Structure formats: structure tokens, C-alpha cells
Amino acid sequence: MTRLMQTAVEHFPIAGSFTISRGSKTTASVVTCHISEGVFAGMAECVPYARYGENIDSVLTEIETIRPRIEAGIDREELRQMMKAGAARNAVDCALWDLEAKTTGNRAFTLAGLAEPAPLTTAYTISLGEPEAMAAQTEQYAHRALLKVKVGTADDATRIRAVRAAAPNSAIILDANEGWTEANLAYHFEVCAESGVALIEQPLPAGHDALLSSIRRPVPVCADESVHKTEDLPKLAGLYDAVNIKLDKTGGLTEALRMRDAARALNLKIMVGCMVGTSLGMAPAVLLAQGADFVDLDGPLLLARDREPGLRYEDSLVFPPLPALWG
């Protein structure tokens, strides 16, 4: 049966602003991919990320380039081999998962060979700001089990201590977004250990990972910008304790599942993260995150409005997607 593909760009306002070491934004812009086959249709979204050389136009062009193969019936494995890892492939790959679920009458987790998913404890992100502002924001969410705190300045000690004081009972992931340096790395590590931080995400710029081999790591360290696909993992084993798997980096659920299994084989802990997007982007990641050591799927919670229907969130829990959303 002939397939038809459509793409669209949607913009969702962020509640306030979202700030990391590289800058701030007030809108989440997503590209959606809609693939239909007769009366059935699969849909997914991706978030182009400038840090990886992506923008809305480049992602749309990538998807359009593969249109003839998609409409001719390409499968996910062929797609993985034909498109590079990144946001464009993620939108197509996850739309194909959704389409297969609908055409076969099976849930996506069954197609992936996974057990029925359960609710997960997700982090909630605290944006980078002055220590007093970060502490005030943290106080609002101190009831949450897990917080992800954005840092990445030359001196984050005051920020780390202020956040810990504001949320004494929450587990904390600290995300430096490549913002630390060889000069301040050891100092920040010691402050993190003193403050009971559970995980430090991407402290150094990608490509500077070797520095981690020559320094004591008193807190587990997680790769994010340094790891995109399965082939990146072997060179990071021994330098990092965990890897952050994001569908927009891996280029979809198909590659992400391979990467998860390969990371576990290398004794790396698993974090499943996200860009700032809607429930449609988080839904396939909820399947990937089953059994993960850390889950950061709070994208919709950072928006002023989500798409309908969306994922169900209750405090720190995110529930598996219903078929009306995805999969």
C-alpha cells in the first residue's frame, strides 16, 4: 500500500524561559513527521538543535531528501543506514514505529520486544541563573524526588550549595553543558561530592573527554554532547560512568535501543534525556527509559502548553503514552 508523508513545523511557548550555559530560549520549535498508509497514520516529532548544526530548515530538507524511499515503504533498519543520526531521522523513525503499531494493532513496546512499560520517576529541570534565583526556583520543586540543575559557569560552587540547601531531600543531577574547564573541574567535583550530587552531566566540552582519565571522579560523570550513537561508546568507557541517550541525538528509537544495550554491555549506567519538546517527543523515550538509572523526560512540564492528548504527569512520575498519543 502506498505511503504518504507530510511534515510540519510547530511552536510551543516555554513557561518563562529555559536557560543553560549556552543561552536562553522562550519557545520550543519542533518538526513533526506524519506518515500515512491507507486509513492508518503514524506521527512523531523532533527538536532541531543548533549545537549539532541543526535548524528547522536543515531538518526539513533532510526529511524531504528521503521522501521517495519513505513513500516507497522503507523500513526502520534501512532508514537507520541511509540517514545520519540526528533530529531528522528521529522524526521519521518514531513515525514509522507509530505507523507499524497502528497498522498491526500492536503496541510499540510489543513490537520492540519490551515488557509493558510502567510509570517512571523523571527529573525536573532548574534553569541556570544567579544562585538566589536558582534557590528560589528550586524551593518550588523541592518536593520532587529528582531535580536536574543547569550550571556551567566559571564558579558554580555557590549555585550548587544554594540549590542543595533549597532541596535537601531531592536527588540532584548537575548538568554543566560543557561549561567547565580543566582549571575548575577538580574544584567543582569536590563541591558536588560535598553537596551529595548524584550525577554530573557533560562537565567538559566534547572532545576534551580524555581529561577525565587523569582526575579523581568522586561523583559519577555522564556523557551527553560527547555521545550520539552506538559507535561513540567504546572510546568513552573508562572516562564516563554513564551516558545520556536522547532520541534527537541517536536519530530515533531504533538506534537508541541498540545504544542502550551496548552501553550496558560496557557497564555504563543509562540516563534517558530529552530536548525541550512536547509529549509526542517524549512518548517513545518513555519506552527506552524503562529500567534506566536516571530519567529526564520533563520537556512538556517546561512548556506553557502541551499538545493534546499528552503524557500524564503526577508530581515526579511520568506515565506511559496512551495509543491516542503515540505507539
Side-chain angles (χ1 to χ4, degrees), residues 19 30 41 126 135 209 240 267 289:
T19 302
V30 307
I126 304 298
D209 313 283
Y240 289 93
N267 295 315

Side-chain angles (χ1 to χ4, degrees), residues 126 133-143 147 149 162-164 166-167:
I126 304 298
M134 292 181 72
Q137 185 186 5
T138 300
E139 284 179 358
Q140 298 179 50
Y141 301 102
H143 63 284
L147 297 174
V149 179
V163 166
R164 170 47 80 201

Side-chain angles (χ1 to χ4, degrees), residues 5-324:
M5 184 189 75
Q6 295 176 308
T7 57
V9 178
E10 298 180 71
H11 305 284
F12 294 83
I14 292 172
S17 64
F18 180 76
T19 302
I20 66 172
S21 60
R22 285 189 288 270
S24 299
K25 65 178 184 177
T26 57
T27 302
S29 297
V30 307
V31 173
T32 58
C33 181
H34 181 280
I35 304 174
S36 62
E37 195 172 279
V39 298
F40 300 103
M43 189 172 173
E45 77 175 31
C46 69
V47 181
Y49 198 42
R51 168 65 180 81
Y52 304 136
E54 298 172 337
N55 57 47
I56 293 291
D57 289 340
S58 71
V59 165
L60 288 170
T61 298
E62 277 189 70
I63 296 174
E64 192 61 34
T65 299
I66 200 86
R67 173 187 290 274
R69 296 301 302 273
I70 294 168
E71 295 187 338
I74 193 172
D75 64 27
R76 291 189 302 275
E77 183 56 30
E78 291 171 319
L79 179 76
R80 191 181 69 83
Q81 296 177 24
M82 291 188 63
M83 292 184 79
K84 72 179 190 296
R89 192 175 75 188
N90 178 33
V92 180
D93 178 78
C94 290
L96 289 175
W97 277 101
D98 190 35
L99 178 63
E100 184 176 351
K102 289 180 169 60
T103 57
T104 64
N106 292 306
R107 298 302 307 277
F109 65 82
T110 301
L111 298 174
L114 304 174
E116 184 170 357
L120 300 166
T121 298
T122 180
Y124 183 86
T125 302
I126 304 298
S127 284
L128 177 63
E130 292 304 313
E132 297 80 7
M134 292 181 72
Q137 185 186 5
T138 300
E139 284 179 358
Q140 298 179 50
Y141 301 102
H143 63 284
R144 291 184 175 273
L146 180 62
L147 297 174
K148 177 169 172 173
V149 179
K150 294 289 188 178
V151 290
T153 72
D155 184 1
D156 281 324
T158 306
R159 292 176 174 84
I160 297 167
R161 290 172 177 142
V163 166
R164 170 47 80 201
N169 299 317
S170 300
I172 291 177
I173 300 168
L174 213 66
D175 186 2
N177 282 116
E178 305 178 279
W180 292 348
T181 66
E182 183 177 9
N184 61 38
L185 187 64
Y187 171 61
H188 282 134
F189 275 9
E190 291 306 318
V191 175
C192 287
E194 162 203 311
S195 300
V197 169
L199 188 73
I200 302 168
E201 195 178 343
Q202 196 67 43
L204 296 166
H208 294 234
D209 313 283
L211 289 171
L212 294 170
S213 68
S214 58
I215 188 170
R216 189 176 79 89
R217 301 196 302 270
V219 174
V221 180
C222 177
D224 183 3
E225 285 86 350
S226 290
V227 59
H228 292 253
K229 55 189 184 297
T230 305
E231 289 73 21
D232 296 333
L233 293 172
K235 68 177 182 289
L236 300 179
L239 301 176
Y240 289 93
D241 307 288
V243 292
N244 188 346
I245 304 176
K246 295 177 180 175
L247 300 183
D248 278 313
K249 289 191 304 178
T250 66
L253 182 60
T254 303
E255 174 67 16
L257 290 168
R258 293 177 70 249
M259 186 175 169
R260 179 203 61 185
D261 294 344
R264 284 175 173 163
L266 291 168
N267 295 315
L268 289 163
K269 292 183 180 296
I270 305 297
M271 179 178 178
V272 174
C274 67
M275 307 303 185
V276 183
T278 78
S279 285
L280 182 60
M282 306 303 117
V286 172
L287 305 192
L288 176 69
Q290 298 295 310
D293 301 280
F294 299 93
V295 178
D296 176 29
L297 297 178
D298 66 340
L301 299 179
L302 305 176
L303 302 178
R305 63 174 177 85
D306 192 10
R307 65 175 76 243
E308 292 290 341
L311 287 172
R312 175 184 163 201
Y313 287 89
E314 288 185 9
D315 289 327
S316 295
L317 292 180
V318 55
F319 288 76
L322 297 175

